[in-house]
Amino acid sequence: GENVEQHPSTLSVQEGDSAVIKCTYSDSASNYFPWYKQELGKGPQLIIDIRSNVGEKKDQRIAVTLNKTAKHFSLHITETQPEDSAVYFCAAYNDYKLSFGAGTTVTVRA
Amino acid sequence: DVKVTQSSRYLVKRTGEKVFLECVQDMDHENMFWYRQDPGLGLRLIYFSYDVKMKEKGDIPEGYSVSREKKERFSLILESASTNQTSMYLCASSFGTLTPNEQFFGPGTRLTVL
């Protein structure tokens, strides 16, 4: 099955700086790559996604890039704010299922 | 707004008990999912369903079963709870049979098996 690796596991950034989270996947048949944000006490919520026919997608301060050849994708958050502090999960869709990375705990320091 | 509700936020059960976790969604979604979340392991898929009375095994189905008698309701059953099933359980739903679309998650049930 699909194997998704996510790095780093924890990330501390100064407010206003950028944060980058990277994921790799193993199965070249994967064709959909969402990113979820999980705040304390809540279920994960989709923040952005990208499909395999697109190389980059941006939504305000959040962007995702996909390199199909290298089988990796990344989440970029610019101008980080305290409300960006959360756990972020990447995922890859294959064989009707999502496989998730282990998660990255992001802390934005004021 | 899509709403996915789970029957309990916290649950404490004893080893060997039969445990039912209930999930209800209000957006007429075809697909429903059960995951467990453990530190350092992310979310792992236990079972999913793409239609009423249909079910498919996920990556870690051992020790679990599911039931989907109505489109809006998906139940996870631990036939004989064990301590290694202590975890956070998350339910999710999405539209479009077996297509990759946004999954909407419930708040989770933290299950402790003593």
Side-chain angles (χ1 to χ4, degrees), chain A residues 36 38 41 43 51 93 97, chain B residues 9 37 59 98 100 103 105-106:
Chain A
Y36 284 83
Q38 186 176 28
R51 298 184 189 265
Y93 183 88
K97 299 178 292 187
Chain B
R9 292 301 301 268
Q37 180 177 9
D59 298 318
L98 296 175
Q103 291 187 17
F105 284 85

Side-chain angles (χ1 to χ4, degrees), chain B residues 7-114:
Chain B
S7 50
S8 307
R9 292 301 301 268
Y10 300 93
L11 209 53
V12 180
K13 295 293 181 181
R14 297 229 174 253
T15 302
E17 279 192 81
K18 190 168 186 177
V19 182
F20 293 87
L21 302 182
E22 306 284 343
C23 175
V24 177
Q25 50 95 3
D26 66 358
M27 281 301 291
D28 202 36
H29 283 171
E30 290 82 3
N31 309 306
M32 296 189 75
F33 309 85
W34 274 107
Y35 295 91
R36 64 176 282 176
Q37 180 177 9
D38 300 288
L41 296 177
L43 281 70
R44 293 179 292 166
L45 182 64
I46 304 171
Y47 268 96
F48 67 102
S49 168
Y50 56 89
D51 200 352
V52 176
K53 297 192 186 297
M54 304 304 293
K55 61 184 180 184
E56 294 288 339
K57 292 180 179 179
D59 298 318
I60 52 166
E62 296 79 17
Y64 304 93
S65 62
V66 291
S67 172
R68 194 166 180 202
E69 296 296 318
K70 294 184 177 182
K71 189 175 185 180
E72 67 272 17
R73 188 179 297 270
F74 193 35
S75 303
L76 180 69
I77 304 154
L78 286 66
E79 296 289 343
S80 177
S82 64
T83 54
N84 63 12
Q85 293 178 310
T86 291
S87 186
M88 172 68 82
Y89 289 87
L90 291 163
C91 175
S93 70
S94 70
F95 81 94
T97 302
L98 296 175
T99 54
N101 292 312
E102 177 179 1
Q103 291 187 17
F104 295 85
F105 284 85
T109 295
R110 184 164 295 281
L111 173 67
T112 301
V113 182
L114 302 175

